[in-house]
Amino acid sequence: MKPFDIVIVGGGGAGLYAAMEAMKTNPSLNIAVLSKVYPNRSHTSAAQGGANAALANKAKDDTVELHIFDTIKGSDYLADQDAVEVLCSEAPKIIRELDNMGTPWSRMDDNTIAQRPFGGAGRPRCCYCADKTGHTILQTLYEQCLKKGVQFFNEYFALSLSVNGSRMRGLLALNIKTGKVEAFASKTVIFATGGYAKMYWNRSSNAAGNTGDGQAIAYRAGIPLKDMEFVQFHPTGLRKSGLLVTEGARGEGGYLINRDGERFMARYAKEKMELGPRDLVARSLETEILEGRGFDSPAGKYIHLDLTHLGADLIKSRLPQIREMSMQFEGVDPIEEPIPVRPTAHYSMGGIDTDNFGRTVMGGVYAAGECGCVSVHGANRLGGNSLLDILVFGRIAGRTAAEEVGKFAPGIIPESEIAEKTEELRSFMKPSGHYERYGALREELGQTLAMNVGIFREAPLLRKGIEDIAALRDRYQHVRVFDTSDVYNTNLIQVLELKNMLDLAETVAAGAYAREESRGSHTRVDFPVRDDEKWHKHTVATLENGTVTLGEKPVTMGRYELQERTY
Amino acid sequence: MTVTEPHIEEAKKDITFRVFRFNPQIDSKPYYDDYTIQVERGITVLRSLNYIKEHLDATVSFRAFCQAGICGSCAMRVNGLSKLACTTQVWEVLEKCREPNVIKVEPLRNLPLVKDLIVDMDPLVDKMKHYSNWVESTMPEEKMGKKEFLISEEEFLKYDKATDCILCASCVSECSILRANSEYVSPAVLLKSYRMNSDSRDAIHDVRLAELVKDHGVWDCTHCYRCQETCVKSIPIMDAIHGIREDAIERRGMKDTSGSKHAEAFMSDIEKKGKLVEATLPIRTNGMAWTLKNLLPMAMKMIVKRRTPPPPPLVKPTKGIRVFRSMFREMSEHVREDHKSHNK
Ligand SMILES: Cc1cc2nc3c(=O)[nH]c(=O)nc-3n(C[C@H](O)[C@H](O)[C@H](O)COP(=O)(O)OP(=O)(O)OC[C@H]3O[C@@H](n4cnc5c(N)ncnc54)[C@H](O)[C@@H]3O)c2cc1C
Ligand code: SF4
Ligand code: SF4
Ligand code: FES
């Protein structure tokens, strides 16, 4: 393969926008998009709610300024204010751009793009397409990329960066269909591989492949990760799968009930009850379960989300999706029985540390989307700001890489590196006396994270979590891939993804242990208040001598002073 | 003490999954492996396969990603019908087992087999490209981002359902024409083409349409409704197919002969395979290109509606022909009337 100018890893919203923008910036560049799934399968398609932009179609008095303030407050003041300014001021432009390219936005009576209210936003500024916003955005971008003739390498699994000294020279990837390791020599690489919340496995709303591959690859190449301890939990995930039951269910009047038949939210949020803010409701559910008032089942402990009193008509007309989901994934019809739910890991605020242009510390390496951390979400992301983030910063990263590509010389990846990598992968398949099963390790990882690095964190639990993760990383040395075939070896892919989750889990736990305060999604029972004096800063994780080392970075402030976050 | 819901404990069954296996590196032909596991109520086919892969046989290969029915990765045939493994409850397909409690799991049809339950999606992507399945905006790129198009709710509703498509290829797998002709446009691509052609922001409506009426295009469809019955998102695909045809007749009139020619070729194809001979007979005796092009598809649709078995397999000749002929006459009337009212 002839060397590339830009290799983009990831075909979600961030990766596709980066590809389009890079081509637009400089049409003569040789650009590749690698994706382990067909781009239209990426997790961006799961976003239902919408994307925020102060278009002021609905609330005429909405402004970019208000959007900036909501975002900074929502982040519990950990977001970098200059980055938030970029995010919010680019928002109207990018939403219109999508419209101009064919995204089927829902419409208002005056035929403009429809907007609706969303958590944490002072104005209804969430632009949507029914309940399939992410899906239609991703479709539009994929279609436009096909139109432009973007070179896709579908079902390629990125393995590692090729680095010589401090010079990045490209990427190694596994061609899933053939089982061959292939070299992608390139002047620049953009990571857009999505989030890492799937490390919580059955207690995550994410796709099976949201395993933080890009973050782990960058981390192993010496690139720092930022704010990894911040993982957002959603209160109502299905018990068996962690899949999301959207807020709509509670919005329509659903009750949360514990095993004593009690509407326990009365104890946590007397007035708002089930409709309190996301993190508060999540913490309340978790408390009930931890204090033994949950239900038990082989698939884990849970709480009832009861809709039965709403009646068949209302459920059928207003909540058809939720009904379908609980029937499909739990075998429970909410007209007749309550839905078993528990909090679920939903979004990763942390990621590859970048500046406002998507640059990392390593020349020629960029990151964008959920896998990057600019940071615009700080300690807590607002609903509807993530789709926006991937679009805005995906585009910026694509443009920046295209503009800067001349600074980097074309790399050559030596054959020996491919051979070594191939050997490394083969070694998982060698029969040995003692071996570990992938499934067991992954299950234990998810469990220890949920138990010890979950919604409620405190020193003894975190220490336990850190120990468990270290032990799992040791055991991983003996993990065995039983499928020895080359063609489409999903067993091998799973094992490689597990490695990425294990490496990142260590950074999440280390960050959570170090951060002795409660801020946004990070709740320390032993340090229940926000400590601006000591902790108004980002944590930065780097890999040194095989384990995580933590550093810190100041938060960029701007117009908005620190304030208490109350709603 | 813990409280356990009774149905979870009780509702358990031993289920055998009969899984289609093929590894191109070793196997000369496909075979089936049986895996028997205990399944409780509420478990999906995909979760069962995951369990099998993790506990019984790590080499069983299939695709899955979102596990929530939104990404389209996990389409496969379960007891002979194409559907998403991740949204299909084991309990729900038990009724359709030939052998009690044996569920057959196979890859999609009409796409090249890669391994076990995995098929190659590239041919579908190539077709999306061939039929320009994108909006070619009327707005030049450098003007984009400044102002939004004004679009009515009415227009949005025209393509709202079509944009639900997750490209899972279940419809592709069930399409009766694709089995005979792999170059056929495919139901999902027709659906997407229709969606693009209904969008007022799009500038290449006529180019796309010109491609759609060529060989292997929209006229090849037999209106068998299989795609629509299969669609995992319940999208009325046939509306799109009708929409394109109406549009073609309206905009291009009767000038496309390639469509009818191809319909003829298709019919002889089927004839060679010994299927649907009764359907081809009256057409041959009528012999007019126009009738072929305009009536055959609708007549076929009626066959399906009247619950006469759709192609294949063969229906009993004598009775079938009589039914078909009367329908054929009826349809001719309808179309004539339609055209009259159109011309007013
Ligand atoms: C259930 C759910 C609902 C949500 N709802 C909303 C919402 O309403 N509003 C909102 O703003 N946000 C929402 N989000 C968050 C938002 O959807 C995501 O943050 C966003 O889509 C991430 O986009 P991305 O482009 O960064 O990554 P993704 O879309 O996850 O794409 C990652 C890409 O990287 C590729 N990749 C990964 N690893 C590799 C590898 N090793 N090799 C090659 N390729 C690789 C994948 O194939 C994929 O193409 C929701 C999230 C979830 C889980
Ligand atoms: S109706 Fe047409 S497109 Fe649909 S399955 Fe039948 S032949 Fe294929
Ligand atoms: S039309 Fe329906 S069945 Fe066909 S690919 Fe789209 S979602 Fe799947
Ligand atoms: S795994 Fe995504 S649709 Fe089934």
Side-chain angles (χ1 to χ4, degrees):
Chain A
M1 247 182 300
K2 131 170 175 278
F4 290 95
D5 295 301
I6 304 178
V7 168
I8 298 167
V9 190
L16 295 183
Y17 228 122
M20 275 185 8
E21 187 69 15
M23 279 182 99
K24 196 160 128 188
T25 310
N26 184 350
S28 66
L29 296 180
N30 185 18
I31 301 170
V33 176
L34 260 69
S35 180
K36 64 180 174 183
V37 296
Y38 280 83
N40 53 304
R41 314 266 186 243
S42 305
H43 201 57
T44 294
S45 63
Q48 302 181 327
N52 298 334
L55 292 176
N57 285 353
K58 178 113 181 180
K60 300 294 171 209
D61 63 344
D62 196 13
T63 60
V64 167
E65 214 37 61
L66 286 170
H67 187 185
I68 294 176
F69 175 68
D70 286 342
T71 304
I72 291 170
K73 181 180 170 195
S75 80
D76 222 347
Y77 296 88
L78 195 69
D80 291 308
Q81 299 196 4
D82 54 344
V84 175
E85 206 169 312
V86 175
L87 178 82
C88 302
S89 29
E90 286 288 304
K93 183 163 183 265
I94 209 133
I95 297 297
R96 289 185 191 123
E97 203 168 282
L98 280 171
D99 169 70
N100 299 159
M101 290 189 293
T103 300
W105 297 109
S106 291
R107 297 287 159 169
M108 311 232 298
D109 288 343
D110 66 356
N111 296 351
T112 55
I113 296 169
Q115 296 189 284
R116 64 178 157 213
F118 228 55
R123 297 287 184 285
R125 70 169 73 93
C126 190
C127 310
Y128 63 94
C129 168
D131 57 358
K132 51 181 172 184
T133 314
H135 168 70
T136 53
I137 290 178
L138 187 65
Q139 268 184 341
T140 308
L141 293 175
Y142 184 48
E143 289 155 8
Q144 293 299 311
C145 286
L146 289 180
K147 175 184 124 188
K148 284 180 175 266
V150 170
Q151 291 182 72
F152 282 110
F153 292 83
N154 294 336
E155 313 209 297
Y156 273 72
F157 185 89
L159 296 164
S160 56
L161 276 175
S162 172
V163 184
N164 185 16
S166 63
R167 217 174 77 89
M168 193 280 301
R169 52 191 178 186
L171 186 92
L172 292 184
L174 177 72
N175 180 340
I176 300 177
K177 275 186 199 147
T178 63
K180 291 218 162 48
V181 176
E182 295 179 20
F184 288 79
S186 182
K187 293 179 192 167
T188 63
V189 169
I190 303 176
F191 286 108
T193 55
Y196 55 83
K198 195 61 187 176
M199 63 170 70
Y200 291 77
W201 205 251
N202 279 338
R203 299 203 51 189
S204 167
S205 65
N206 285 197
N210 281 17
T211 48
D213 299 352
Q215 296 89 319
I217 292 170
Y219 176 64
R220 288 193 290 262
I223 298 171
L225 307 177
K226 187 161 72 195
D227 291 338
M228 292 296 283
E229 61 272 28
F230 293 103
V231 177
Q232 187 174 68
F233 285 82
H234 193 284
T236 52
L238 290 178
R239 162 194 52 184
K240 289 197 178 119
S241 53
L243 294 178
L244 208 66
V245 182
T246 59
E247 254 121 8
R250 281 172 288 136
E252 292 295 341
Y255 294 156
L256 290 168
I257 308 271
N258 64 17
R259 79 165 214 221
D260 303 328
E262 181 194 12
R263 258 182 92 187
F264 57 85
M265 280 310 295
R267 267 186 280 123
Y268 304 92
K270 224 187 203 119
E271 267 170 39
K272 292 216 149 181
M273 295 293 284
E274 281 84 357
L275 296 176
R278 212 183 254 190
D279 51 344
L280 175 76
V281 181
R283 284 196 287 270
S284 312
L285 256 91
E286 191 73 2
T287 308
E288 289 299 304
I289 291 174
L290 287 177
E291 293 181 356
R293 290 188 295 277
F295 297 87
D296 212 346
S297 77
K301 298 188 168 56
Y302 61 95
I303 289 291
H304 276 160
L305 172 57
D306 193 352
L307 309 181
T308 52
H309 59 283
L310 299 178
D313 288 348
L314 189 139
I315 294 177
K316 278 187 195 155
S317 64
R318 302 255 190 92
L319 303 168
Q321 304 263 5
I322 289 172
R323 176 166 181 242
E324 196 178 299
M325 266 187 61
S326 26
M327 298 204 290
Q328 283 169 345
F329 301 110
E330 289 282 345
V332 163
D333 183 349
I335 292 178
E336 279 146 26
E337 285 174 84
I339 311 172
V341 296
R342 58 180 171 175
T344 187
H346 185 51
Y347 182 81
S348 38
M349 268 76 73
I352 300 172
D353 180 20
T354 74
D355 67 9
N356 291 353
F357 293 89
R359 300 184 192 105
T360 69
V361 296
M362 188 180 281
V365 180
Y366 306 78
E370 196 173 333
C371 98
C373 179
V374 187
S375 131
V376 290
H377 308 302
N380 178 48
R381 162 193 78 112
L382 291 189
N385 262 358
S386 171
L387 284 178
L388 184 61
D389 169 18
I390 68 175
L391 301 169
V392 168
F393 288 99
R395 182 167 69 178
I396 291 177
R399 188 191 306 147
T400 312
E403 282 168 359
E404 296 181 344
V405 82
K407 291 207 282 189
F408 309 102
I412 298 166
I413 300 178
E415 284 294 324
S416 60
E417 200 173 325
I418 303 174
E420 259 170 53
K421 197 42 100 182
T422 308
E423 192 40 47
E424 186 187 319
L425 300 187
R426 279 275 139 205
S427 69
F428 286 113
M429 300 169 192
K430 299 231 169 74
S432 58
H434 167 71
Y435 66 82
E436 293 283 348
R437 281 187 169 269
Y438 148 79
L441 295 182
R442 189 210 60 212
E443 212 63 34
E444 286 177 45
L445 175 66
Q447 263 165 26
T448 187
L449 282 169
M451 294 271 292
N452 303 312
V453 198
I455 297 181
F456 291 114
R457 301 165 170 185
E458 58 182 311
L461 291 180
L462 288 163
R463 273 197 296 272
K464 171 84 170 72
I466 289 169
E467 275 167 28
D468 285 354
I469 295 164
L472 287 167
R473 277 161 54 90
D474 277 345
R475 283 166 61 194
Y476 182 85
Q477 310 296 323
H478 307 286
V479 73
R480 172 101 175 263
V481 172
F482 293 92
D483 188 347
T484 55
S485 62
D486 295 324
V487 177
Y488 225 104
N489 191 334
T490 46
N491 189 199
L492 173 63
I493 300 293
Q494 287 176 324
V495 164
L496 295 171
E497 288 174 338
L498 175 61
K499 168 75 174 147
N500 294 336
M501 291 194 284
L502 282 168
D503 285 355
L504 296 187
E506 193 179 31
T507 68
V508 174
Y513 185 55
R515 188 175 283 278
E516 296 184 332
E517 66 159 350
S518 293
R519 184 187 296 270
S521 70
H522 172 70
T523 307
R524 283 286 298 255
V525 178
D526 42 359
F527 298 93
V529 288
R530 197 175 84 188
D531 183 350
D532 288 328
E533 207 154 298
K534 275 209 207 119
W535 283 105
H536 187 240
K537 59 191 175 194
H538 301 293
T539 56
V540 176
T542 31
L543 185 68
E544 276 167 36
N545 305 322
T547 62
V548 57
T549 308
L550 281 186
E552 55 184 63
K553 222 177 151 171
V555 176
T556 310
M557 293 297 278
R559 233 165 312 168
Y560 299 97
E561 295 298 319
L562 283 163
Q563 275 177 34
E564 202 189 333
R565 178 173 162 251
T566 51
Y567 285 101
Chain B
M1 203 206 89
T2 54
V3 178
T4 305
E5 279 185 318
H7 74 252
I8 293 169
E9 283 307 296
E10 285 161 19
K12 277 187 181 164
K13 273 190 191 148
D14 282 336
I15 311 281
T16 300
F17 288 85
R18 184 156 294 163
V19 182
F20 180 100
R21 303 300 308 270
F22 178 70
N23 177 351
Q25 283 181 300
I26 3 180
D27 304 323
S28 55
K29 60 175 200 283
Y31 60 100
Y32 291 84
D33 267 333
D34 279 3
Y35 305 96
T36 304
I37 58 173
Q38 199 179 57
V39 181
E40 69 180 49
R41 192 190 106 172
I43 293 292
T44 58
V45 171
L46 181 62
R47 284 179 75 88
S48 310
L49 289 174
N50 280 334
Y51 184 90
I52 291 168
K53 186 171 179 67
E54 266 167 44
H55 297 272
L56 303 181
D57 183 351
T59 68
V60 177
S61 305
F62 49 91
R63 285 194 190 96
F65 197 63
C66 71
Q67 318 195 36
I70 181 68
C71 77
S73 299
C74 67
M76 54 183 75
R77 281 184 302 139
V78 181
N79 279 344
L81 286 177
S82 305
K83 42 180 82 181
L84 299 178
C86 73
T87 57
T88 304
Q89 288 279 318
V90 170
W91 249 233
E92 169 196 308
V93 288
L94 281 182
E95 295 154 25
K96 289 158 213 138
C97 292
R98 283 219 184 130
E99 267 175 64
N101 297 336
V102 178
I103 295 177
K104 208 169 187 184
V105 191
E106 297 162 293
L108 294 183
R109 276 194 292 230
N110 300 335
L111 287 165
L113 181 60
V114 175
K115 182 187 182 186
D116 295 353
L117 303 171
I118 298 166
V119 296
D120 188 0
M121 289 286 165
D122 284 346
L124 193 59
V125 177
D126 290 342
K127 283 175 187 167
M128 285 169 58
K129 282 199 234 172
H130 182 88
Y131 292 95
S132 313
N133 277 185
W134 49 72
V135 168
E136 178 92 45
S137 183
T138 52
M139 187 184 279
E141 206 169 75
E142 60 282 2
K143 291 227 170 107
M144 287 189 182
K146 299 197 180 76
K147 78 178 199 271
E148 49 191 274
F149 283 104
L150 294 179
I151 290 173
S152 64
E153 182 74 7
E154 194 191 347
E155 178 181 327
F156 171 76
L157 289 175
K158 260 199 249 169
Y159 43 73
D160 177 27
K161 255 329 251 181
T163 61
D164 283 357
C165 172
I166 56 173
L167 288 172
C168 70
S170 291
C171 56
V172 171
S173 165
E174 298 292 328
C175 173
S176 34
I177 296 298
L178 273 171
R179 275 174 92 180
N181 172 19
S182 62
E183 282 175 71
Y184 173 56
V185 48
S186 301
V189 175
L190 285 174
L191 178 72
K192 269 183 112 52
S193 304
Y194 174 74
R195 173 255 176 278
M196 302 304 161
N197 269 359
S198 338
D199 198 313
S200 62
R201 292 167 288 193
D202 175 67
I204 55 162
H205 181 287
D206 291 330
V207 180
R208 202 177 288 116
L209 193 60
E211 205 52 45
L212 285 165
V213 298
K214 287 189 185 157
D215 289 358
H216 319 301
V218 68
W219 295 115
D220 283 21
C221 165
T222 64
H223 281 59
C224 73
Y225 272 73
R226 291 273 282 270
C227 51
Q228 179 160 323
E229 282 158 12
T230 306
C231 179
V232 302
K233 293 280 158 191
S234 313
I235 303 168
I237 305 176
M238 295 311 297
D239 288 359
I241 297 177
H242 291 143
I244 297 174
R245 289 189 175 189
E246 276 161 25
D247 193 29
I249 292 181
E250 203 166 294
R251 295 211 177 204
R252 306 176 58 89
M254 302 303 153
K255 69 183 174 193
D256 300 316
T257 49
S258 55
S260 59
K261 264 197 229 128
H262 206 84
E264 240 165 328
F266 166 70
M267 293 316 293
S268 72
D269 237 32
I270 285 188
E271 192 189 9
K272 267 185 235 131
K273 296 192 170 161
K275 292 164 191 159
L276 246 201
V277 185
E278 82 288 0
T280 71
L281 277 174
I283 315 268
R284 291 240 205 82
T285 49
N286 272 279
M288 289 142 46
W290 186 87
T291 15
L292 242 183
K293 183 171 66 183
N294 290 283
L295 301 186
L296 176 66
M298 282 175 253
M300 296 284 253
K301 178 173 135 196
M302 291 193 67
I303 294 182
V304 177
K305 278 204 172 151
R306 298 209 173 166
R307 291 282 160 248
T308 313
L314 190 68
V315 266
K316 283 222 171 65
T318 46
K319 211 170 144 208
I321 282 180
R322 235 177 286 130
V323 174
F324 186 89
R325 280 194 177 136
S326 79
M327 275 197 279
F328 196 75
R329 255 174 256 125
E330 201 182 306
M331 284 305 303
S332 315
E333 284 304 311
H334 276 303
V335 171
R336 245 172 249 137
E337 270 163 35
D338 262 13
H339 269 262
K340 263 189 240 153
S341 58
H342 259 293
N343 292 342
K344 263 181 209 160

